[in-house]
Amino acid sequence: MGGRRAVPRIAVLGAMLLLLTGCWDQRPVEGRALVEAVGVAPTTRPDTWAWTFVFPNPTESVSSLSSLSPSDQIYAVTVSAATWTGALLKAQERTTRDLYFGQFRVLAISPRLSAASWDRLISTFNRSGRVLKTFWIVAGHPAGAVVATAPVSEGAPLYALFKLLACHCQPYFWAQRAWQVWDRLTTPGVTPIVPVITVAGPHVLNTAFATVGPHRVFLWSARTSAGWAYLTQHVVKGGLVVRTPWGLVGLNQVRGRSRTRILTRGRMVVVTDTLAYHGALEDLPPGLALTTRQKTAIARDASRTIAALCDGALQTADAQQVDPFGWHRQQHWAQNTAGRPWPAPIRWQHWSVHVIVHFRITGEGVAHS
């Protein structure tokens, strides 16, 4: 009796083992071209874009990593096409490996493309089932150079641009995943933002961000981008240089929080953003005694410096008719009203914004923080 029962059990076990193999129909890794990044830029033809596909060098091995220069650790293929579909076909024709997007990390779009072009690209990549929605979207010109530059600070198999965006080691964090950009694009009352990546020799830099406005992409300055970061609690490893009566003072380890309150009073919408930040004194003029009075004055000057950055960000948003803060979205939700979706301009008439900044000095150096 026991022997007869063993037969179906063995059969079931064998079937389960066959199912567990799982990858019988998958291509081997040596047959794939792993697309790590794509850059999209305009060309001299208005109906054609330049698409740069970046791949890790397939000849890499553990033993060869130390002998390869950063520029040899990746390679790029650039094609011209009017659509993503056309670019895929042309890129596939130029490689003997199957294009694979399972490790896709960065989409760089030139800010010289129209806002409508940005909308189409973001929507296309979001709709595509071949890529996960966790890759980063950045603005960069020239986009091909942004994705194809291999910084000397990193080596394969790590893609340095991806690390720059994901490390949380920069002064301000304005990196946006694909799903976040798409969500902002489809939600009334908030403007999509993306980091601006520039190339300086062997280095890639991210010192500001851009907004996808109603008709074009606006590049924000480093100062206005910093103001947005303070207003929205995106200061990670901040630093301030403050002008005081005793000379320039440097404050590091600047961190803090912001709290926003939005009230509707008739036709007026009143926003109060209260910022509470702190930092450590680290770079002082020689001979400064640092009395209690002087520390209080430095903290007050630091508050004024942050307030000036915030004011620049607010003026820029007003001039561009954008809202990267998301306050219009909050107001729509609070009033249960339907806002106009992108690309409708976001207007600031009948809005009054008040910024209150509190700054506290936490010590005279790193050892005291």
Side-chain angles (χ1 to χ4, degrees):
M1 182 68 96
R4 287 196 299 271
R5 291 179 178 174
V7 174
R9 291 178 180 174
I10 294 174
V12 171
L13 180 60
M16 292 177 63
L17 290 175
L18 287 174
L19 291 174
L20 289 174
T21 57
C23 297
W24 62 271
D25 62 341
Q26 300 297 312
R27 292 180 181 270
V29 66
E30 61 269 18
R32 286 176 166 174
L34 308 181
V35 184
E36 289 199 336
V38 170
V40 189
T43 66
T44 55
R45 297 177 56 185
D47 59 342
T48 302
W49 297 337
W51 307 75
T52 301
F53 293 73
V54 175
F55 310 87
N57 192 328
T59 62
E60 289 177 355
S61 64
V62 175
S63 59
S64 67
L65 283 178
S66 60
S67 61
L68 286 174
S69 66
S71 60
D72 292 330
Q73 294 166 4
I74 60 174
Y75 73 97
V77 171
T78 301
V79 299
S80 296
T83 63
W84 169 240
T85 302
L88 280 174
L89 293 173
K90 288 188 175 182
Q92 186 62 76
E93 291 171 351
R94 298 194 180 189
T95 178
T96 58
R97 299 165 182 260
D98 185 51
L99 296 181
Y100 175 67
F101 289 84
Q103 302 296 325
F104 186 65
R105 295 176 174 179
V106 179
L107 171 62
I109 308 175
S110 171
R112 299 186 181 183
L113 291 176
S114 67
S117 299
W118 275 71
D119 178 35
R120 174 167 183 163
L121 284 166
I122 294 168
S123 299
T124 297
F125 273 75
N126 182 71
R127 190 178 299 113
S128 174
R130 69 177 69 225
V131 293
L132 297 175
K133 308 308 180 262
T134 53
F135 63 90
W136 304 100
I137 298 180
V138 304
H141 187 82
V146 165
V147 293
T149 299
V152 295
S153 61
E154 299 291 346
L158 297 175
Y159 186 57
L161 180 53
F162 167 81
K163 288 197 66 181
L164 174 70
L165 298 168
C167 71
H168 281 79
C169 59
Q170 302 300 307
Y172 313 106
F173 187 79
W174 38 62
Q176 296 287 298
R177 301 279 189 178
W179 67 268
Q180 294 172 305
V181 180
W182 180 83
D183 178 70
R184 281 173 165 252
L185 200 63
T186 56
T187 304
V190 61
T191 302
I193 70 166
V194 290
V196 176
I197 304 298
T198 56
V199 178
H203 305 287
V204 288
L205 307 175
N206 176 207
T207 59
F209 69 78
T211 56
V212 184
H215 306 292
R216 53 169 290 198
V217 175
F218 296 102
L219 301 180
W220 284 42
S221 69
R223 286 184 58 82
T224 53
S225 297
W228 174 88
Y230 278 101
L231 286 167
T232 58
Q233 203 168 292
H234 282 77
V235 179
V236 179
K237 297 183 68 174
L240 285 174
V241 177
V242 179
R243 189 174 299 278
T244 73
W246 309 281
L248 296 179
V249 171
L251 295 129
N252 274 331
Q253 297 184 342
V254 176
R255 298 182 182 87
R257 57 182 176 82
S258 63
R259 186 178 70 254
T260 306
R261 184 180 62 176
I262 301 177
L263 298 175
T264 301
R265 298 173 180 171
R267 296 183 63 191
M268 288 295 299
V269 179
V270 180
V271 179
T272 303
D273 200 356
T274 303
L275 281 58
Y277 280 84
H278 58 84
L281 290 169
E282 194 168 283
D283 187 1
L284 301 173
L288 186 60
L290 272 184
T291 64
T292 300
R293 181 181 65 86
Q294 289 172 328
K295 290 173 64 174
T296 301
I298 293 172
R300 185 170 55 248
D301 291 333
S303 298
R304 291 171 178 166
T305 301
I306 294 174
L309 295 174
C310 296
D311 185 60
L314 293 169
Q315 291 186 28
T316 300
D318 184 20
Q320 297 175 357
Q321 296 188 325
V322 297
D323 183 358
F325 319 104
W327 294 338
H328 282 75
R329 174 183 57 188
Q330 288 181 248
Q331 197 265 343
H332 293 325
W333 289 354
Q335 298 297 312
N336 196 25
T337 57
R340 298 170 62 198
W342 188 94
I346 299 178
R347 307 186 190 280
W348 292 88
Q349 291 93 334
H350 309 298
W351 279 67
S352 177
V353 180
H354 305 270
V355 178
I356 303 171
V357 184
H358 301 286
F359 193 90
R360 178 172 56 90
I361 295 176
T362 55
E364 288 75 51
V366 175
H368 294 82
S369 62

